[in-house]
Amino acid sequence: MTDRRVPDGAPTTHPSTSRRRLLRGGAAAGVGALTAWAGPGGSAHAAGPRPATRTAHIVARRTGPYEVLALLDAHGTFPGRRQHWFPDAAEADWARAERLDPAAFGPDDTWELDFRCYAVRRPGGRVTLVDTGIGPVGSPASPWAPVPGHLPAVLGHAGIERDDVDTVVLTHLHEDHYGWTVDATGAPVFPNARHVVQRTEITALAAGDSALAYVIEPLRRAGLLHGIDGRVRVQGGPGGPSLTAVPTPGHTAGHQSVLVEGGRERVVITGDVLVHAVQLVAPSVAYGLESDQATARRTRRRLLDDARARGDLLAPAHLNRPFLRP
Ligand SMILES: [Zn+2]
């Protein structure tokens, strides 16, 4: 099919393969240097020298009984120029996006982005974690992402022990979203947690995809893999506070987002439905690594329309703002 708009040299096949090519493409373009952020020093809430444009490591919002914590795993520069990854974006789109997320605009037309996970803490201290970041040095994201991520330390600063986490929702199986799922020995980092993944996402993995060996097989062996189909409530009951996994396909086949319904205000942990503010101001703008750009566009429009109608707060993984209204 030729209706997918993929930038020159950009991958058209599988995400993991894609990202390796992405790295080579970036290096070939002379933009291979990825900036690893120094990360947390002392307290996550503490100061410390840090460019003003960088978001804090932990930002909390409350909705009803839930505390939603945005946890910054890392910040870095994406390889290549931003227009390469969003070829449909017009100058006016970039200008509007820059007003919304100025920290995303690096020198030489680069794209600066956060790599963020979210934790939802319930009364009593039990936690649902959404995504596990880029992981340590040597993780599958290492060839292109600013490893090491700092999620374990940031969780500690938030007062979250690994055993407190009883559910991990993986929005999708790209390597910047599952990096801290297992440790260096392949043992699950969150041994008390069921790990919720759309079954479609697992079956869409190509043979040899690093997610199979790094995440799916270890979780399956440990009895912690929890495949779901479609919209599934993962916490709470009908009519009360709840967390719900909702299919939001397009970025990947089995991509899902998480609706946090605690009180009047709903928080939507979007995953990668939109990866840059330019897709918020112009939802039809495709991202070069979306596995199905037409579906991704439809999903994005629907999610944003719905969020605007309901007054939802968005919690995106890669914008440099952990919470924002669309
Ligand atoms: Zn991502």
Side-chain angles (χ1 to χ4, degrees):
M1 298 297 286
T2 54
D3 60 342
R4 287 183 55 207
R5 301 185 60 177
V6 177
D8 292 341
T12 55
T13 55
H14 198 271
S16 290
T17 314
S18 304
R19 288 180 191 245
R20 282 192 289 277
R21 284 195 219 157
L22 175 161
L23 181 73
R24 288 203 299 272
V31 198
L34 295 170
T35 52
W37 183 19
S43 160
H45 295 282
R50 188 168 71 218
T53 52
R54 301 282 160 84
T55 49
H57 294 94
I58 302 173
V59 179
R61 290 289 189 124
R62 179 163 283 283
T63 173
Y66 297 134
E67 188 183 22
V68 184
L69 300 163
L71 308 172
L72 187 65
D73 188 40
H75 177 91
T77 306
F78 211 67
R81 290 170 191 267
R82 59 179 179 260
Q83 188 72 39
H84 177 76
W85 298 113
F86 306 93
D88 310 338
E91 263 321 303
D93 300 328
W94 290 121
R96 287 162 64 212
E98 188 164 10
R99 284 196 289 277
L100 201 65
D101 189 10
F105 291 75
D108 301 322
D109 298 329
T110 49
W111 171 20
E112 302 263 335
L113 73 166
D114 283 354
F115 294 84
R116 195 179 299 102
C117 312
Y118 290 85
V120 183
R121 185 153 44 194
R122 311 195 293 278
R126 290 294 187 191
V127 168
T128 295
L129 184 62
V130 181
D131 287 337
T132 66
I134 60 175
V137 172
S139 74
S142 293
W144 63 274
V147 292
H150 302 285
L151 180 66
V154 175
L155 283 169
H157 293 313
I160 296 172
E161 304 286 337
R162 293 175 179 199
D163 288 350
D164 296 336
V165 179
D166 63 7
T167 309
V168 174
V169 177
L170 296 174
T171 59
H172 63 296
L173 294 174
H174 279 169
E175 55 268 40
D176 54 323
H177 293 258
Y178 63 66
W180 292 106
T181 303
V182 299
D183 66 17
T185 71
V189 169
F190 305 100
N192 292 341
R194 64 188 172 133
H195 290 64
V196 178
V197 188
Q198 290 285 333
R199 253 188 272 269
T200 322
E201 183 73 358
I202 301 170
T203 53
L205 291 173
D209 190 294
S210 52
L212 284 170
Y214 197 82
V215 185
I216 297 303
E217 286 159 19
L219 290 177
R220 200 172 264 147
R221 275 198 302 274
L224 297 177
L225 183 64
H226 187 75
I228 60 171
D229 299 299
R231 185 182 181 110
V232 172
R233 191 182 298 115
V234 293
Q235 288 294 336
S242 62
L243 304 185
T244 306
V246 181
T248 44
H251 183 78
T252 59
H255 190 282
Q256 60 185 344
S257 304
V258 177
L259 301 182
V260 183
E261 299 180 271
R264 276 201 307 274
E265 183 175 62
R266 216 166 64 147
V267 180
V268 186
I269 302 173
T270 60
D272 282 2
V273 170
L274 55 150
V275 298
H276 191 292
V278 78
Q279 294 187 297
L280 182 54
V281 299
S284 64
V285 168
Y287 167 48
L289 293 178
E290 285 161 352
S291 71
D292 178 341
Q293 295 183 342
T295 303
R297 267 189 202 104
R298 271 198 303 277
T299 291
R300 193 161 42 248
R301 283 205 194 97
R302 193 177 306 134
L303 184 142
L304 291 174
D305 287 350
D306 201 30
R308 286 183 182 118
R310 299 180 64 133
D312 294 342
L313 200 58
L314 298 186
H318 294 305
L319 273 61
N320 300 276
R321 295 176 56 179
F323 297 102
L324 74 170
R325 283 188 200 288

Short mmCIF file of all heavy atoms in Angstrom, two decimals, residues 19 78 111 113-116 131 134 144 171-172 174-177 251 255 271-272 274-275 287 317-318, ligand 1:
data_model
loop_
_atom_site.label_atom_id
_atom_site.label_comp_id
_atom_site.label_asym_id
_atom_site.label_seq_id
_atom_site.Cartn_x
_atom_site.Cartn_y
_atom_site.Cartn_z
N ARG A 19 13.42 0.92 14.87
CA ARG A 19 14.19 1.80 15.74
C ARG A 19 15.68 1.61 15.54
O ARG A 19 16.45 2.54 15.67
CB ARG A 19 13.78 1.58 17.18
CG ARG A 19 12.41 2.18 17.35
CD ARG A 19 11.88 2.05 18.70
NE ARG A 19 10.47 2.43 18.61
CZ ARG A 19 9.97 3.50 19.20
NH1 ARG A 19 10.70 4.26 19.95
NH2 ARG A 19 8.71 3.78 19.06
N PHE A 78 15.66 12.96 20.30
CA PHE A 78 15.39 11.91 19.33
C PHE A 78 16.34 12.08 18.14
O PHE A 78 16.63 13.21 17.75
CB PHE A 78 13.93 12.03 18.87
CG PHE A 78 13.31 10.72 18.49
CD1 PHE A 78 13.08 9.75 19.45
CD2 PHE A 78 12.92 10.46 17.19
CE1 PHE A 78 12.49 8.54 19.12
CE2 PHE A 78 12.33 9.25 16.85
CZ PHE A 78 12.11 8.29 17.81
N TRP A 111 14.06 17.14 18.16
CA TRP A 111 12.88 16.82 18.99
C TRP A 111 13.38 16.35 20.35
O TRP A 111 14.08 15.35 20.45
CB TRP A 111 12.07 15.74 18.28
CG TRP A 111 10.94 15.14 19.05
CD1 TRP A 111 10.30 15.64 20.14
CD2 TRP A 111 10.32 13.88 18.78
NE1 TRP A 111 9.32 14.78 20.56
CE2 TRP A 111 9.30 13.69 19.74
CE3 TRP A 111 10.53 12.89 17.79
CZ2 TRP A 111 8.50 12.55 19.75
CZ3 TRP A 111 9.73 11.76 17.81
CH2 TRP A 111 8.72 11.60 18.78
N LEU A 113 12.42 15.07 24.10
CA LEU A 113 11.24 14.42 24.68
C LEU A 113 11.52 13.76 26.02
O LEU A 113 12.64 13.35 26.30
CB LEU A 113 10.66 13.39 23.70
CG LEU A 113 11.40 12.08 23.46
CD1 LEU A 113 10.48 11.10 22.74
CD2 LEU A 113 12.67 12.28 22.64
N ASP A 114 10.48 13.72 26.81
CA ASP A 114 10.49 12.97 28.05
C ASP A 114 10.13 11.51 27.77
O ASP A 114 9.43 11.21 26.80
CB ASP A 114 9.45 13.53 29.04
CG ASP A 114 9.90 14.83 29.72
OD1 ASP A 114 11.06 15.24 29.53
OD2 ASP A 114 9.07 15.42 30.44
N PHE A 115 10.60 10.64 28.65
CA PHE A 115 10.19 9.23 28.63
C PHE A 115 9.57 9.01 30.01
O PHE A 115 10.27 8.96 31.02
CB PHE A 115 11.39 8.31 28.42
CG PHE A 115 12.02 8.46 27.06
CD1 PHE A 115 12.96 9.46 26.83
CD2 PHE A 115 11.66 7.62 26.02
CE1 PHE A 115 13.54 9.61 25.58
CE2 PHE A 115 12.24 7.77 24.76
CZ PHE A 115 13.18 8.77 24.54
N ARG A 116 8.24 8.92 30.05
CA ARG A 116 7.55 8.98 31.32
C ARG A 116 6.65 7.78 31.55
O ARG A 116 6.05 7.23 30.62
CB ARG A 116 6.70 10.26 31.36
CG ARG A 116 6.22 10.62 32.73
CD ARG A 116 5.41 11.90 32.77
NE ARG A 116 6.16 13.07 32.35
CZ ARG A 116 6.06 13.64 31.16
NH1 ARG A 116 5.21 13.20 30.27
NH2 ARG A 116 6.77 14.69 30.86
N ASP A 131 3.34 1.48 32.20
CA ASP A 131 4.61 1.46 31.47
C ASP A 131 5.81 1.45 32.42
O ASP A 131 5.71 1.87 33.58
CB ASP A 131 4.73 2.60 30.46
CG ASP A 131 3.83 2.38 29.24
OD1 ASP A 131 3.48 1.21 28.96
OD2 ASP A 131 3.47 3.37 28.59
N ILE A 134 12.48 3.22 29.70
CA ILE A 134 13.53 2.79 28.76
C ILE A 134 14.46 1.75 29.36
O ILE A 134 15.19 1.09 28.64
CB ILE A 134 14.34 3.98 28.22
CG1 ILE A 134 15.05 4.73 29.35
CG2 ILE A 134 13.44 4.93 27.44
CD1 ILE A 134 15.97 5.86 28.86
N TRP A 144 19.17 3.48 21.10
CA TRP A 144 18.72 4.80 20.64
C TRP A 144 18.20 5.70 21.75
O TRP A 144 18.06 6.91 21.55
CB TRP A 144 17.64 4.65 19.56
CG TRP A 144 16.40 3.97 20.05
CD1 TRP A 144 16.18 2.62 20.10
CD2 TRP A 144 15.22 4.59 20.57
NE1 TRP A 144 14.94 2.37 20.64
CE2 TRP A 144 14.32 3.55 20.93
CE3 TRP A 144 14.84 5.92 20.80
CZ2 TRP A 144 13.08 3.81 21.49
CZ3 TRP A 144 13.59 6.17 21.34
CH2 TRP A 144 12.73 5.12 21.69
N THR A 171 1.27 -0.11 27.91
CA THR A 171 0.43 0.47 26.85
C THR A 171 0.71 -0.22 25.52
O THR A 171 -0.20 -0.40 24.71
CB THR A 171 0.64 1.99 26.70
OG1 THR A 171 2.02 2.24 26.40
CG2 THR A 171 0.23 2.72 27.97
N HIS A 172 1.98 -0.56 25.30
CA HIS A 172 2.35 -1.29 24.08
C HIS A 172 3.75 -1.84 24.26
O HIS A 172 4.41 -1.58 25.28
CB HIS A 172 2.22 -0.39 22.85
CG HIS A 172 3.12 0.81 22.82
ND1 HIS A 172 3.05 1.84 23.74
CD2 HIS A 172 4.12 1.16 21.96
CE1 HIS A 172 3.94 2.77 23.44
NE2 HIS A 172 4.61 2.37 22.37
N HIS A 174 6.70 -1.41 22.63
CA HIS A 174 7.92 -0.75 22.15
C HIS A 174 8.89 -0.68 23.31
O HIS A 174 8.49 -0.51 24.47
CB HIS A 174 7.61 0.66 21.64
CG HIS A 174 7.08 0.69 20.24
ND1 HIS A 174 6.54 1.82 19.66
CD2 HIS A 174 7.01 -0.29 19.29
CE1 HIS A 174 6.16 1.54 18.42
NE2 HIS A 174 6.43 0.27 18.19
N GLU A 175 10.18 -0.72 22.98
CA GLU A 175 11.19 -0.93 24.02
C GLU A 175 11.36 0.25 24.98
O GLU A 175 11.97 0.10 26.03
CB GLU A 175 12.54 -1.31 23.39
CG GLU A 175 13.07 -0.34 22.34
CD GLU A 175 12.65 -0.70 20.93
OE1 GLU A 175 11.49 -1.12 20.74
OE2 GLU A 175 13.46 -0.52 20.00
N ASP A 176 10.82 1.43 24.63
CA ASP A 176 10.91 2.56 25.58
C ASP A 176 9.75 2.55 26.56
O ASP A 176 9.59 3.47 27.37
CB ASP A 176 10.98 3.91 24.84
CG ASP A 176 9.84 4.12 23.86
OD1 ASP A 176 9.43 3.14 23.21
OD2 ASP A 176 9.34 5.26 23.75
N HIS A 177 8.93 1.48 26.51
CA HIS A 177 7.79 1.41 27.44
C HIS A 177 7.83 0.17 28.33
O HIS A 177 6.99 0.03 29.21
CB HIS A 177 6.47 1.44 26.65
CG HIS A 177 6.25 2.77 25.99
ND1 HIS A 177 5.39 3.72 26.49
CD2 HIS A 177 6.82 3.31 24.89
CE1 HIS A 177 5.43 4.80 25.72
NE2 HIS A 177 6.30 4.58 24.74
N HIS A 251 -0.77 3.33 16.77
CA HIS A 251 0.67 3.45 17.03
C HIS A 251 1.29 2.06 16.94
O HIS A 251 2.32 1.85 16.31
CB HIS A 251 0.89 4.07 18.40
CG HIS A 251 2.35 4.29 18.74
ND1 HIS A 251 3.09 5.33 18.24
CD2 HIS A 251 3.20 3.58 19.52
CE1 HIS A 251 4.33 5.25 18.69
NE2 HIS A 251 4.43 4.19 19.46
N HIS A 255 -2.17 -1.32 20.89
CA HIS A 255 -1.90 -0.21 21.82
C HIS A 255 -3.13 0.02 22.70
O HIS A 255 -4.26 -0.10 22.26
CB HIS A 255 -1.59 1.05 21.01
CG HIS A 255 -1.09 2.19 21.84
ND1 HIS A 255 -1.93 2.99 22.60
CD2 HIS A 255 0.16 2.66 22.06
CE1 HIS A 255 -1.20 3.89 23.23
NE2 HIS A 255 0.08 3.72 22.92
N GLY A 271 -0.40 6.81 26.73
CA GLY A 271 0.63 6.06 26.01
C GLY A 271 1.09 6.89 24.83
O GLY A 271 1.23 8.11 24.93
N ASP A 272 1.22 6.25 23.66
CA ASP A 272 1.77 6.95 22.49
C ASP A 272 0.70 7.28 21.44
O ASP A 272 1.00 7.36 20.25
CB ASP A 272 2.89 6.12 21.86
CG ASP A 272 4.19 6.24 22.64
OD1 ASP A 272 4.21 6.92 23.68
OD2 ASP A 272 5.21 5.65 22.22
N LEU A 274 -0.45 10.10 21.08
CA LEU A 274 0.22 11.26 20.51
C LEU A 274 1.60 11.31 21.15
O LEU A 274 1.73 11.14 22.35
CB LEU A 274 -0.55 12.57 20.75
CG LEU A 274 -0.91 12.94 22.17
CD1 LEU A 274 -0.96 14.44 22.30
CD2 LEU A 274 -2.26 12.36 22.57
N VAL A 275 2.63 11.48 20.33
CA VAL A 275 4.00 11.45 20.87
C VAL A 275 4.64 12.83 20.90
O VAL A 275 5.69 13.01 21.51
CB VAL A 275 4.90 10.46 20.08
CG1 VAL A 275 4.36 9.04 20.20
CG2 VAL A 275 5.02 10.87 18.62
N TYR A 287 2.88 10.19 12.69
CA TYR A 287 4.25 9.99 13.18
C TYR A 287 4.84 8.84 12.38
O TYR A 287 4.17 7.83 12.15
CB TYR A 287 4.19 9.68 14.68
CG TYR A 287 5.45 9.15 15.30
CD1 TYR A 287 6.68 9.77 15.09
CD2 TYR A 287 5.42 8.03 16.14
CE1 TYR A 287 7.83 9.28 15.68
CE2 TYR A 287 6.56 7.55 16.74
CZ TYR A 287 7.77 8.18 16.50
OH TYR A 287 8.90 7.70 17.09
N ALA A 317 3.05 10.16 27.42
CA ALA A 317 4.36 9.59 27.78
C ALA A 317 5.53 10.46 27.36
O ALA A 317 6.57 10.48 28.02
CB ALA A 317 4.50 8.19 27.16
N HIS A 318 5.39 11.17 26.23
CA HIS A 318 6.59 11.80 25.64
C HIS A 318 6.54 13.31 25.52
O HIS A 318 7.52 13.91 25.07
CB HIS A 318 6.85 11.20 24.26
CG HIS A 318 7.21 9.75 24.29
ND1 HIS A 318 8.27 9.26 25.04
CD2 HIS A 318 6.66 8.68 23.67
CE1 HIS A 318 8.34 7.95 24.87
NE2 HIS A 318 7.38 7.57 24.06
ZN ZN B 1 7.12 5.68 23.21
#
